Amino acid sequence: MFFILKIAIGIVIGGISGAIAGAIMKSSGGTIKNIILGIVGGFVGSLVFGLIGFKSTNIIGTMITSIAGACIIIAIGRKLIK
């Protein structure tokens, strides 16, 4: 039961983070794209922040990490498409 709740919270945080990152980067996309960007962004952000010695320990840190990772993914995607 706890595992399912954790996944649901991760999807909600990913969706919010993806929407915020999309607004910051002025990216067009739908809800599903924002959720995917936020979830993958959380992984990328935690990897990048982990390499420099930072770790998110609460929901605010997780949101910031996920938003930063999603922004990184959007920027890389723009460079690859051009």
Side-chain angles (χ1 to χ4, degrees):
M1 182 69 174
F2 182 70
F3 180 70
I4 294 171
L5 181 63
K6 196 169 183 178
I7 289 175
I9 291 172
I11 290 172
V12 170
I13 290 174
I16 294 169
S17 300
I20 293 171
I24 290 171
M25 300 293 288
K26 294 180 178 47
S27 174
S28 62
T31 306
I32 301 298
K33 180 181 174 185
N34 287 339
I35 291 172
I36 292 170
L37 277 174
I39 292 170
V40 175
F43 175 73
V44 170
S46 66
L47 179 70
V48 170
F49 285 150
L51 289 174
I52 59 175
F54 294 124
K55 183 177 180 183
S56 61
T57 57
N58 58 16
I59 195 154
I60 301 297
T62 303
M63 288 286 289
I64 292 169
T65 301
S66 187
I67 292 168
C71 288
I72 290 170
I73 291 174
I74 291 171
I76 290 172
R78 285 182 180 168
K79 294 293 181 185
L80 290 176
I81 291 174
K82 285 186 178 183

